[in-house]
Amino acid sequence: MRNAASALVFAGLLTGCVTALPQNDPNPPAIAWQILDQQAQVSADFPATGESFAVHGHTFLVTLHADHPLGVHKISLEGSGRFQCATLPDIDSVSFLAREPLQVSIPRQEHTFKAKSNHQIELLTVSFDYSKLSCGFHDYEGTIGSLEYFATSGTMVFSGAAENHSAKASSGSLSANP
């Protein structure tokens, strides 16, 4: 009898933990950005869209905040842009410029929460250092083999999105310029 009572208490605890997901919530999550300069240990907050920040040879963490009182179901973040690119100087201080702007991207990060999630969710990109953005390896005429090119100018646009459990989404963007 003791085992049966324990099983009933355990089953009651399990059913008490189940949270019903909202079915028709018309309000998408609110999103905003935060940038942390890792060298200076200074952060700045930005609204969902239409803002930019200057990068000055430091490493930054770009954070997308998503907030919804009934929980965030899905959140994603990525970055891309077209850049003028050059190789790093060789031992003779010679570098090569790419002939045309090259596409650079930061891979999409996405997370889906199966049940009602925390009220606020954060998604961080990897550390972002503009001067270390690889434009890939290219073999242009006049170079010795395939060389790696790095961004020297151009705008990185970060795009973020979040949706609630009723699939109502919000999105935003933030630009980074040298």
Side-chain angles (χ1 to χ4, degrees):
M1 188 65 159
R2 184 171 166 220
N3 288 341
S6 296
L8 287 175
V9 170
F10 181 68
L13 290 174
L14 283 179
T15 58
C17 294
V18 175
T19 304
L21 296 176
Q23 296 301 314
N24 290 313
D25 184 356
N27 302 310
I31 61 174
W33 300 92
Q34 184 178 57
I35 305 302
L36 172 65
D37 180 329
Q38 290 187 298
Q39 279 80 3
Q41 287 299 300
V42 174
S43 65
D45 297 321
F46 296 94
T49 194
E51 296 287 327
S52 65
F53 69 100
V55 293
H56 303 288
H58 290 183
T59 302
F60 295 86
L61 288 179
V62 178
T63 305
L64 176 66
H65 293 271
D67 187 22
H68 192 276
L70 299 176
V72 175
H73 175 61
K74 187 183 290 186
I75 188 168
S76 64
L77 176 60
E78 61 193 323
S80 67
R82 292 190 61 76
F83 297 87
Q84 294 296 328
C85 300
T87 62
L88 297 176
D90 63 16
I91 58 172
D92 297 321
S93 298
V94 175
S95 63
F96 298 94
L97 297 174
R99 293 193 179 130
E100 68 277 333
L102 298 172
Q103 183 71 31
V104 177
S105 63
I106 294 175
R108 179 180 180 86
Q109 297 181 45
E110 182 174 290
H111 189 77
T112 301
F113 302 92
K114 300 296 182 199
K116 185 175 178 182
S117 62
N118 294 335
H119 184 64
Q120 183 169 324
I121 304 298
E122 296 178 355
L123 180 68
L124 295 176
T125 67
V126 293
S127 295
F128 170 70
D129 186 334
Y130 192 98
S131 66
K132 294 180 182 175
L133 281 177
S134 177
C135 300
F137 286 84
H138 300 277
D139 188 0
Y140 291 115
E141 187 176 325
T143 63
I144 302 168
S146 184
L147 300 174
E148 187 171 15
Y149 287 74
F150 295 91
T152 58
S153 66
T155 301
M156 173 64 75
V157 177
F158 292 95
S159 301
E163 70 179 47
N164 66 14
H165 292 282
S166 298
K168 301 298 183 211
S170 55
S171 61
S173 62
L174 180 68
S175 300
N177 302 293

